[in-house]
Amino acid sequence: MTTTAESYAIDAKNLSKLFLGLKFLYNVNLEDEKTIEIREIVKKEGYLPMSHIEALETLSPAQIIAGLEEKFICNNTYDGKNFVYEYLSPVQRAGYTDSSWIKKEQHIVKLINLCALGDGNKSDKVARFVDILAQILTLPSGVPDAGILNATVYMTPFHPREFGCAYLPKSSEVTDALCDKDIFEHFGLSAKEQVRVLLAFFQLAGHPTMYDVLPQTARYSKAVLSNPHIARWFDIKDLISKIESEIEKLDCADVMKDILKSYLNGDYVEYDQMLRVDYTNAMNALVEKKKELSNSMLTRENQEMLHKRVKGIIAENLGVSPDKELVEDDIIDQTKLINVLISDGLWPAPGGAWNSCGVPVFDKMCNGASYPMFKHYNVDNEDVTKYANLDCQTPYYFYNFDKKTFNYDVIDFYVSSLKKLQQEFNFDGFRVDHIDHIVDRVSQKDGLPISYRAPRIVLAKANNDMKAKIPYFATLAEYMLWDGFLKEYHEDMNFDLLWGNDIISQGDKNVKSIFKDLEVLEKYNSSLPEGAPKLSILKSYNNQDGEFSEIDQYPGQLGENGALLKFFKYKFIVGGRNASRPVMFVDGDESFTRTGTEYIIGNETSLKRENNKEFFKKFNAINEFAKTCKFCKWGKSYLIRNDEDGFCAWVNSLDGYDNQVLFVINEQYTTETIRRYDEYNNLVIEHKTGTSVKDKTLDLGNNVVLSEFNYNDGDFSEDAYGQTSSLHYDSLKPSEFRIYRITNR
């Protein structure tokens, strides 16, 4: 019999019993030669330095579990027989009483999709329970003595999804795809319980957990159906009737009126192309009236009537009183309720474009009449419908545009749902999606909202409430730094970490611009009162793989050496105490998986990964060197050379030390795809091939070189170097880098 989420407690007793059961299920043999080797490596390194795909291809379930047991022991949460811990959260166990842990230089954040952690090279089936355990085993360790926690695992939504998109959750449940049949049959754990256990294992292995949360939901999600008041609603049938009346008033031929009505109702009839101009003129004549009708329907007065009507229909179909307060569990046949509402013409109001404001304007039904289509306008009343990709989502009804008042009951509902989510899965932080343009002119005027996006006061309340309850809780805002609203997101909304603009500007992120980013952050943090929490901004190695042409720039295009150089720059250019920044990479990056991220966000399937073992060794060696080097953990970088041809050098210094670490690179990537707009706003795509820089001399002034760090089969070794105050390079290949220890004479 399946247990319920409420009855299965995540505690040491249950987890110990389950882990013992896993050892029996997979016949774990601690005397196996390879198992002994794996455990010794984990004992030494704190994790198994292996790419996720190599673990999937080469390790048995028994070896994964045995290695993970050793990792639990390393984190002092397992004594060889039972789990023993005071706090489940590794942040809490480390003694943090604030969110500064997420902002540490050299802290790693890895973005994963639980469903995608299976071996997509063999099957598109979602990850098994043990596949996810393999990811826990191979996630990098931190530096506990330096306050740098093990890698944070940042998860995309694992709810049931609509339209193949993880960011359109149909409910707050866990997708059935994550229910491992073997685990269900042997232990009776549902999909939700399995995920709760897995997240506990991440944390007991020392990894903080962060989850993507949304200020929107799927169009007819269970949240919307059980609480219609959290959404704006359209009565599409009523709008069609009123628009048809307006069509009758037009000064045009009856045949044109019939064509307009047909298109309005989703019957896209063919008509004589000689009428094209007349059709366009007639449609244009209706624009302002359509705006007026949509705006009128979305006034508070009309919304209250629609909420009552929708709630009544749902209650009637559920066989309950309209006064009954519903919860998601009451929505048993979701599809039936959706069809009933659609047949009555009742549709939640959608989102819009990144730059749309005001209300969505109903335009017509799609061809075939299966769903309504909307127009969207920006703050300057320009049509921005072509940018709209969010008509299938339902934003929360936080604000009344007509009354200029907030709906505090909806705000409370949203914040309460976040608290419940955190409580169920014990997350250490949230990343809040789709809040990129909430304080600029496209979404706010005179301090009040003018768009469908979550208002700043909603996010401030959510963050403040979460941190009041859990002081170490960290929040990351998907804000890409447009117009520099650092104060608004940090001080006003209480975010700890910002998404940054790395993923949309790979072609611009040269060494000089990275230093500039650090200067801006340092200036901001230096202006804060003494002792005030500081802001941090992610350094994102990769998060897109070409879905959007405007940001079709990603490490896979740079060649292996170019991708390693990009990671190298993010790990070794550091901002010091007022500009520390963690680095994020994506599942598969460690083995040079070039594409697939967007696909696994849109589909419940395992990721197809490259298994480039040499790339992983170098990628991992860079991370290990950086996290163990005091000049990279606590120091600050200073740019000392930046030639136009790509020859570049900087030093990492630390107060109180005569030594410094010197980095010299040829910043040209091996290959690169650059997308830019010309003076006529046309997209220009350039494919560049890097060239060697030649005959370069670097004068070190009063410093001399003591040693050079050379890469050798997965590690950097420090080798003595003849003391010299200048370095000469006959040639440095594209993306080539050198590392030295230097000191004052």
Side-chain angles (χ1 to χ4, degrees):
M1 182 178 71
T2 305
T3 58
T4 64
E6 289 72 25
S7 66
Y8 190 84
I10 300 296
D11 58 27
K13 181 179 178 180
N14 280 340
L15 293 176
S16 298
K17 182 179 178 181
L18 175 63
F19 196 66
L20 179 62
L22 289 170
K23 291 165 71 174
F24 277 111
L25 176 62
Y26 292 109
N27 299 311
V28 173
N29 177 11
L30 298 183
E31 304 303 318
D32 172 71
E33 185 176 344
K34 186 171 182 181
T35 297
I36 293 172
E37 178 186 353
I38 289 169
R39 288 172 68 94
E40 285 299 316
I41 295 172
V42 173
K43 186 175 182 178
K44 177 185 176 183
E45 304 292 342
Y47 71 112
L48 185 62
M50 181 181 287
S51 70
H52 184 55
I53 185 60
E54 186 176 358
L56 294 176
E57 290 182 352
T58 63
L59 300 184
S60 69
Q63 291 163 345
I64 291 168
I65 291 167
L68 186 55
E69 180 180 73
E70 187 64 43
K71 188 166 184 176
F72 290 141
I73 293 171
C74 290
N75 283 274
N76 300 311
T77 57
Y78 193 77
D79 64 7
K81 293 183 179 180
N82 295 292
F83 286 103
V84 285
Y85 57 88
E86 184 177 3
Y87 303 113
L88 189 57
S89 167
V91 182
Q92 202 170 10
R93 291 199 305 274
Y96 277 98
T97 57
D98 59 24
S99 56
S100 58
W101 60 272
I102 193 67
K103 311 172 194 179
K104 295 284 186 181
E105 195 73 56
Q106 301 311 330
H107 184 57
I108 281 286
V109 178
K110 186 173 184 181
L111 189 160
I112 66 168
N113 177 342
L114 290 179
C115 283
L117 290 174
D119 187 350
N121 300 343
K122 294 180 179 178
S123 169
D124 60 1
K125 292 180 180 178
V126 303
R128 302 170 300 163
F129 191 91
V130 72
D131 295 334
I132 300 173
L133 296 184
Q135 175 66 103
I136 303 175
L137 175 62
T138 58
L139 275 175
S141 62
V143 190
D145 293 344
I148 301 171
L149 301 183
N150 291 358
T152 290
V153 57
Y154 152 44
M155 284 161 280
T156 57
F158 46 62
H159 306 300
R161 56 183 67 181
E162 242 183 13
F163 299 110
C165 179
Y167 294 89
L168 294 173
K170 294 197 293 184
S171 75
S172 60
E173 299 157 347
V174 171
T175 174
D176 287 338
L178 282 169
C179 186
D180 185 309
K181 181 181 178 181
D182 289 340
I183 302 302
F184 175 73
E185 289 180 352
H186 285 85
F187 305 106
L189 297 181
S190 66
K192 184 173 185 178
E193 291 156 355
Q194 290 183 36
V195 168
R196 292 174 71 230
V197 167
L198 286 165
L199 296 189
F201 283 167
F202 273 109
Q203 292 182 309
L204 292 170
H207 299 284
T209 57
M210 176 174 279
Y211 190 64
D212 241 338
V213 296
L214 320 166
Q216 71 265 354
T217 183
R219 180 171 266 167
Y220 289 100
S221 71
K222 287 190 175 183
V224 169
L225 295 176
S226 57
N227 296 273
H229 70 284
I230 69 172
R232 299 177 176 91
W233 288 82
F234 278 114
D235 181 343
I236 297 298
K237 286 186 175 180
D238 184 57
L239 284 175
I240 287 175
S241 175
K242 289 176 178 175
I243 295 172
E244 285 179 335
S245 296
E246 294 302 320
I247 290 173
E248 285 299 324
K249 300 176 184 177
L250 293 177
D251 184 15
C252 62
D254 288 344
V255 64
M256 180 53 63
K257 292 178 181 179
D258 291 339
I259 292 171
L260 292 171
K261 290 178 183 178
S262 293
Y263 270 72
L264 178 65
N265 284 278
D267 181 12
Y268 289 16
V269 297
E270 293 186 15
Y271 59 87
D272 192 328
Q273 290 303 301
M274 295 292 290
L275 298 175
R276 169 62 64 180
V277 173
D278 291 341
Y279 175 81
T280 301
N281 290 338
M283 287 292 286
N284 289 338
L286 290 170
V287 167
E288 292 306 316
K289 199 62 187 180
K290 288 179 178 178
K291 290 181 183 178
E292 179 186 324
L293 292 170
S294 289
N295 271 282
S296 175
M297 185 162 285
L298 294 189
T299 61
R300 181 63 190 177
E301 180 181 2
N302 284 324
Q303 285 302 295
E304 287 177 349
M305 290 188 289
L306 284 171
H307 288 157
K308 184 177 180 180
R309 181 174 154 200
V310 172
K311 189 170 184 178
I313 292 172
I314 292 171
E316 180 181 355
N317 279 269
L318 293 177
V320 300
S321 167
D323 296 327
K324 176 180 169 59
E325 295 295 326
L326 300 178
V327 294
E328 285 193 25
D329 288 345
D330 293 319
I331 308 301
I332 298 173
D333 192 340
Q334 189 173 6
T335 302
K336 176 185 175 183
L337 288 176
I338 293 171
N339 289 334
V340 169
L341 292 170
I342 289 176
S343 67
D344 225 38
L346 296 168
W347 292 78
W354 70 265
N355 55 350
S356 59
C357 75
V359 306
V361 176
F362 172 65
D363 186 42
K364 59 186 176 183
M365 297 300 290
C366 73
N367 193 8
S370 58
Y371 59 87
M373 298 175 66
F374 296 87
K375 291 283 190 179
H376 303 277
Y377 299 87
N378 67 11
V379 67
D380 298 316
N381 202 30
E382 297 167 331
D383 189 335
V384 293
T385 306
K386 66 180 180 180
Y387 302 113
N389 62 345
L390 300 170
D391 275 3
C392 51
Q393 70 162 213
T394 297
Y396 285 95
Y397 184 19
F398 290 126
Y399 187 72
N400 302 298
F401 295 126
D402 60 318
K403 300 291 185 182
K404 294 187 177 180
T405 56
F406 289 95
N407 294 324
Y408 291 102
D409 57 338
V410 180
I411 295 173
D412 289 341
F413 175 91
Y414 175 66
V415 174
S416 294
S417 69
L418 296 181
K419 291 179 180 178
K420 180 182 178 184
L421 182 67
Q422 190 284 328
Q423 186 174 6
E424 286 182 327
F425 297 98
N426 198 48
F427 293 116
D428 297 296
F430 284 152
R431 180 236 187 215
V432 187
D433 181 65
H434 196 57
I435 54 170
D436 200 26
H437 292 277
I438 60 172
V439 292
D440 56 22
R441 67 185 295 268
V442 307
S443 290
Q444 182 176 275
K445 183 178 181 181
D446 300 327
L448 295 174
I450 58 172
S451 84
Y452 64 90
R453 288 177 186 79
R456 63 202 292 178
I457 73 159
V458 175
L459 301 171
K461 176 175 174 54
N463 285 338
N464 292 336
D465 283 12
M466 293 301 299
K467 293 172 187 291
K469 179 184 177 184
I470 308 166
Y472 61 80
F473 197 79
T475 52
L476 162 60
E478 192 203 25
Y479 169 53
M480 300 185 195
L481 309 184
W482 313 106
D483 301 316
F485 291 112
L486 303 187
K487 175 186 177 298
E488 287 77 4
Y489 281 87
H490 179 231
E491 294 183 72
D492 297 352
M493 288 180 264
N494 204 5
F495 281 102
D496 305 292
L497 188 61
L498 304 180
W499 195 241
N501 59 9
D502 290 347
I503 66 169
I504 55 173
S505 53
Q506 175 175 276
D508 301 321
K509 286 295 173 178
N510 54 28
V511 168
K512 183 178 180 180
S513 69
I514 295 173
F515 270 93
K516 180 63 177 176
D517 291 343
L518 293 176
E519 289 175 14
V520 171
L521 181 59
E522 181 179 41
K523 181 178 179 181
Y524 171 77
N525 280 329
S526 298
S527 71
L528 298 173
E530 187 67 29
K534 299 186 188 304
L535 175 66
S536 186
I537 301 171
L538 269 182
K539 291 185 277 191
S540 296
Y541 168 78
N542 183 17
N543 188 47
Q544 299 284 347
D545 55 11
E547 180 192 26
F548 304 108
S549 60
E550 293 84 355
I551 51 176
D552 183 10
Q553 299 173 67
Y554 52 95
Q557 297 168 331
L558 305 177
E560 293 178 33
N561 290 334
L564 288 168
L565 179 65
K566 182 177 182 181
F567 190 57
F568 183 96
K569 291 189 293 185
Y570 283 155
K571 292 297 292 184
F572 289 123
I573 301 177
V574 298
R577 64 184 298 270
N578 282 321
S580 62
R581 300 174 63 190
V583 174
M584 183 183 75
F585 66 91
V586 179
D587 175 24
D589 281 343
E590 72 274 16
S591 56
F592 199 51
T593 302
R594 277 165 264 200
T595 61
T597 300
E598 292 299 331
Y599 184 76
I600 56 99
I601 287 176
N603 297 274
E604 292 180 334
T605 183
S606 287
L607 176 66
K608 292 180 172 64
R609 298 174 183 83
E610 300 286 339
N611 188 4
N612 189 324
K613 296 178 183 179
E614 285 305 311
F615 182 90
F616 171 77
K617 285 182 180 180
K618 295 174 183 177
F619 188 90
N620 196 59
I622 290 170
N623 182 53
E624 288 294 318
F625 184 102
K627 81 179 186 186
T628 56
C629 174
K630 58 178 172 284
F631 296 96
C632 300
K633 290 183 290 191
W634 302 306
K636 183 178 178 180
S637 298
Y638 296 89
L639 184 60
I640 60 173
R641 183 78 173 265
N642 186 34
D643 294 357
E644 289 186 4
D645 61 5
F647 182 74
C648 195
W650 70 91
V651 294
N652 286 4
S653 301
L654 184 59
D655 291 344
Y657 290 85
D658 291 331
N659 290 354
Q660 298 174 299
V661 179
L662 168 68
F663 303 90
V664 179
I665 67 171
N666 176 356
E667 194 177 16
Q668 295 184 59
Y669 290 123
T670 312
T671 58
E672 186 176 10
T673 300
I674 294 180
R675 282 164 166 74
R676 61 180 179 81
Y677 288 91
D678 64 16
E679 58 188 300
Y680 304 106
N681 205 34
N682 296 315
L683 180 64
V684 178
I685 301 175
E686 298 177 1
H687 301 286
K688 295 177 61 176
T689 300
T691 59
S692 297
V693 293
K694 299 181 182 297
D695 193 24
K696 293 290 185 178
T697 299
L698 181 64
D699 185 358
L700 300 177
N702 293 325
N703 294 298
V704 293
V705 178
L706 294 178
S707 57
E708 182 173 9
F709 296 92
N710 293 299
Y711 174 77
N712 182 26
D713 193 29
D715 200 3
F716 282 92
S717 60
E718 186 171 9
D719 303 315
Y721 198 97
Q723 295 195 11
T724 177
S725 60
S726 68
L727 293 165
H728 181 78
Y729 303 93
D730 291 332
S731 178
L732 273 180
K733 297 176 182 177
S735 303
E736 186 175 353
F737 56 78
R738 303 284 183 85
I739 310 174
Y740 307 90
R741 187 187 299 276
I742 64 175
T743 189
N744 290 332
R745 295 189 193 188

